[in-house]
Amino acid sequence: MSVESKPEANESSKEPRSLHFIEQIIEHDNETGRFGGRVHTRFPPEPNGYLHIGHAKAIVLSSGMAKEFGGKFNLRFDDTNPAKEDVEYVESIKEDAKWLGADWEDRLFFASDYFEQMYEYAVQLIKKGKAYVCDLTADQIRETRGTPTVPGTPSPWRDRSIEENLDLFQRMRDGEFPDGSKTLRAKIDMASPNFNMRDPVMYRIVRAPHHRQGNKWNIYPMYDWAHGLEDSIEGITHSICTLEFEHHRPLYDWFLDELGVYHPQQIEFARLNLTYTIMSKRKLLELVKNNHVDGWDDPRMPTICGLRRRGYTPEAIRLFCKTIGVAKFNSTIDATVLENSVREDLNKKALRRMAVIDPIKLVIDNYPEDQVETLTAINNPENEADGTREVPFSKVLYIEREDFMEDAPKKYFRLTPGKEVRLRYAYYVTCKSCVKDENGNVVEVHCDYDPETRGGQSSDGRKVQGTIHWVAAPTALDVEVRLYDRLFSVPNPDDPQNAGDYKDYLNPDSLKVVQNAKVEPSLAEATLDDRFQFERVGYFALDKSSTPEKIVFNRIVSLRDSWSKVAKK
Ligand code: ATP
Ligand code: MG
């Protein structure tokens, strides 16, 4: 088991666990029959970027609640802002949410499909005297909002007649007025201690085409107006969102109560923040546009497609979400927690293979020149069902450069002249000498082997302290290995107190490409679905660009956390 600081909970744990606060709310609602025992959640992304690990937390939570309570889950695109949205994002979000395990069955919805109904609802509020057309500009609205201690100034248009409001609102819809020249505002309370209640804007004029509605609309609904209606129309019971919407809840409730329509419960939880990365869509886009990374699915990105390409599994991400739990206060999770979830998941399922990343030759002087034999290696000590495989062995092998030292300290248990070590699954070998090039670099290590130790066991009970991995040279496959590391070199690249920009903290060593790593021949059959542990090296998966002519492996995660030591220095 290579996991340090093992997470407390895991997907397979059978121990009874306490309910988090959202489960408690749902359980209570079920007991009181508030929604007739129904549980119906949704994930409402705006199609203006790719999903990231923070969104994964929201998806796993909302879809997970539906699953846990035998309810339903909707995927709904909150496509109320025509300017920034794109179908490219719609497709990627669907793919990523599905990959994470979310199941919306046939309930894929678009907020824009409700525009007509939202419009009708707005007319209802106007007729109730609860909404009015305002001619102030966005700046003027901001300036007249007041301060926390000073009430806002009522708009001079606040007391327009219902007839005038209905007429103007229709004409806003018809495109008669320029962008930004009028809004529809809710008539609530300009003195409310909650700014969101100071006559918030419900509609603004944007005479731009919409990616699904074409040129049909010249007005677009604001988030706070639209969101509760979307939830209500879909019969959502528990509308789970992040903490920054807490002060919007009174408005969510006000709209639904004034309309007298079905009223879901909004529940807020703390968003995910993670060290050594960023989660702002705008900044992630900037990294892509400025070629700091190789696209949205660069394996260093915190995007779902990036993590997938890197080789993360959906199980590992769900395990991570379970490990961090759900709370109502904001915090930042250490990247190690995510990496340990990946290690825990992959330790169970990764097939063990031998791969040499930084090869030098090991020659076994007393081994027959042209002999090739096969040795049996265990595929996964964590899962007997994965069986064994045959690994070729021969006189000339590759080993890691760092597994030989000419002048080694006493505690060095690997190869050094005079010392005996075990070649994993093969033989004991005793190091004799090394060969250097003209610059003094070791190019070859020479050993003798003990034929009595086949399989890596001695018949006389003799013990060795070190075991090293190897790959037989004649049958080795040459592969490219991409050693990924954290994208940023500081825990909080986004901290406003940092000197400079977050881009100044990009980790220059976040990608190291190794061209001619040597791996055992069985890896020629690797598929994109396979996960491997290269023994003593780390967890790896094929990159999507890999071809039989040029095999490329990504390092998913190292075997151990090397950053905690760095941080403690
Ligand atoms: P934007 O600033 O564009 O709104 P966003 O990340 O909030 O960015 P949305 O598409 O609105 O993007 O997000 C969809 C859902 O994901 C929202 O309900 C939001 O609360 C949730 N979400 C976004 N970021 C996180 C995060 N870091 N942790 C947990 N949930 C998140
Ligand atoms: Mg948002």
Side-chain angles (χ1 to χ4, degrees), residues 4 53 61 67 130 151 177 237 248 301 306 372 421 449 476 522:
E4 295 181 348
I53 183 78
L61 176 59
K67 212 176 267 176
K130 298 287 184 177
F177 308 115
T237 56
H248 296 247
M301 290 280 271
V372 175
V421 304
Y449 85 122
S522 70

Side-chain angles (χ1 to χ4, degrees), residues 143-184:
E143 285 155 16
T144 52
R145 258 170 109 213
T147 68
T149 49
V150 179
T153 313
S155 162
W157 315 101
R158 198 171 197 259
D159 293 317
R160 273 179 161 146
S161 71
I162 290 173
E163 289 67 36
E164 191 183 2
N165 281 322
L166 288 172
D167 173 59
L168 288 172
F169 188 47
Q170 175 70 50
R171 288 161 62 195
M172 281 168 65
R173 174 180 178 159
D174 293 343
E176 265 189 48
F177 308 115
D179 284 14
S181 61
K182 290 186 193 323
T183 57
L184 184 74

Side-chain angles (χ1 to χ4, degrees), residues 306-313 342 346 531 541 554 556:
L307 298 174
R308 178 167 62 233
R309 178 167 177 189
R310 175 122 166 206
Y312 277 42
T313 61
V342 178
L346 294 182
R531 299 291 176 276
N554 294 330
I556 309 168

Side-chain angles (χ1 to χ4, degrees), residues 40-43 73-76 104 107 109 234 236:
H40 199 151
T41 59
R42 88 286 172 263
F43 177 66
F73 168 78
N74 293 1
L75 178 62
R76 178 206 310 146
W104 55 89
R107 289 178 307 279
F109 298 119
E234 292 178 14
I236 299 303

